[in-house]
Amino acid sequence: MDLGRTGTAVVTDALTRGLLDDAAVFPPGLAPLPDAVAAHDRHTSSSYAAMVGPLVVAASGLAELAEVVAGRETPLPLTVTLPAGPGGIADVLKAVDGLPVSVESLEIAVPQGMSVAEFLSAVDGCPVPVAVEIPRDERRVPLLQALSGTPHKAKFRTGGTSAEYYPDEAELAAAIRATVEAGVPFKATAGLHHAIRNTDPATGFEQHGFLNLLLAAEAVDRDAGDEEVVGLLAERDAAAVADRIRALTPERLAAARARFTSFGTCSITDPLTELTDLGLIGAPA
């Protein structure tokens, strides 16, 4: 994807601080866990360390992780995913007890057939922050409303291994609006392989851009209409997207990042390269 350099202005770290959750072990990256841990340590010791969030691992990988981190002195920051639902919380907490890790959050899916009340009861009292993977069904809005005023955030899946996992612009715009209206921050995961909306040449999948999501969140926050929000998610002009980012005041950029907190990426360096090519950050050392 040739973005081209669109300008020399550099946006402050308000744009990128903690934006990149390190999902190297997940598709399509599928890095072996020892390699992912070593790479994460390099990222968090680099000039761009402030941009990098926790290493994301599945609950099923914690036994292997225990072997990888044995003897480690510095705690490894983690986000642990529970795709089977909240029933695994106790097992995760037991598995990490005594390991040289710091669990920053749990990402928990809502199982098919589980009600909003049942889910919230299951995560009540969880000692670490929870990102709730919001289902794409009639439970979405009631669940977001129920999360309002809690310490939890929402997680939206924006892609995957087949086309049906990618919500279109209208669905994603509606989800963002429901989240903002509920006052619940959100993160995104899967399918955000580029900064700008694009068509994957290998699969033909329509992929959302992470900067498009940021602009959509900002637009909903200032109560823009549905047509504008959908249009921002659909925008493919890299220069136009970068210019819109630069035009945000510090207050509007902060508001957008408070809504859209981070996204999972199987490559930390690819987003850095694209942000650099767009002229939004300086070249990482």
Side-chain angles (χ1 to χ4, degrees):
M1 184 179 185
D2 183 11
L3 297 174
R5 188 173 293 278
T6 61
T8 57
V10 177
V11 174
T12 69
D13 70 353
L15 171 64
T16 58
R17 181 169 291 275
L19 181 64
L20 310 175
D21 289 333
D22 188 352
V25 301
F26 292 89
L30 294 175
L33 190 53
D35 295 348
V37 171
H40 187 81
D41 286 340
R42 291 193 297 272
H43 295 316
T44 55
S45 299
S46 70
S47 62
Y48 53 86
M51 304 182 192
V52 182
L55 180 69
V56 186
V57 298
S60 59
L62 291 176
E64 180 186 0
L65 182 70
E67 299 177 3
V68 174
V69 300
R72 184 185 179 93
E73 295 183 359
T74 304
L76 177 68
L78 293 181
T79 285
V80 181
T81 67
L82 287 84
I89 292 175
D91 289 339
V92 167
L93 297 177
K94 181 179 179 181
V96 300
D97 186 34
L99 294 182
V101 300
S102 171
V103 179
E104 307 294 321
S105 67
L106 302 178
E107 295 183 1
I108 307 178
V110 183
Q112 186 69 31
M114 178 174 274
S115 71
V116 171
E118 289 170 331
F119 181 85
L120 291 178
S121 177
V123 300
D124 185 44
C126 183
V128 296
V130 171
V132 181
E133 185 170 322
I134 305 299
R136 296 170 66 187
D137 57 29
E138 70 281 353
R139 295 172 294 171
R140 180 179 68 189
V141 172
L143 180 55
L144 288 169
Q145 292 172 342
L147 291 176
S148 180
T150 74
H152 311 313
K153 71 170 62 174
K155 169 186 167 182
F156 291 125
R157 188 166 291 278
T158 48
T161 54
S162 58
E164 65 265 23
Y165 292 124
Y166 290 79
D168 64 18
E169 301 96 318
E171 180 184 346
L172 187 53
I176 293 172
R177 185 173 298 282
T179 307
V180 171
E181 289 177 349
V184 179
F186 72 94
K187 68 161 290 181
T189 190
L192 294 172
H193 301 305
H194 294 288
I196 311 299
R197 174 66 180 245
N198 66 95
T199 303
D200 187 322
T203 64
F205 298 163
E206 293 297 307
Q207 295 183 336
H208 295 288
F210 62 84
L211 290 182
N212 297 79
L213 259 70
L214 182 67
L215 288 175
E218 188 279 330
V220 173
D221 184 74
R222 59 177 162 80
D223 202 26
D226 291 342
E227 184 176 356
E228 179 181 349
V229 178
V230 170
L232 289 169
L233 289 171
E235 180 60 72
R236 295 169 181 264
D237 186 327
V241 171
D243 285 346
R244 281 182 174 269
I245 295 288
R246 284 192 201 88
L248 295 176
T249 65
E251 293 77 16
R252 294 311 308 154
L253 182 56
R257 283 302 316 280
R259 300 298 193 181
F260 175 36
T261 61
S262 65
F263 71 97
T265 174
C266 64
S267 168
I268 295 295
T269 56
D270 286 354
L272 297 180
T273 298
E274 294 198 3
L275 289 168
T276 302
D277 287 345
L278 288 166
L280 294 174
I281 63 172

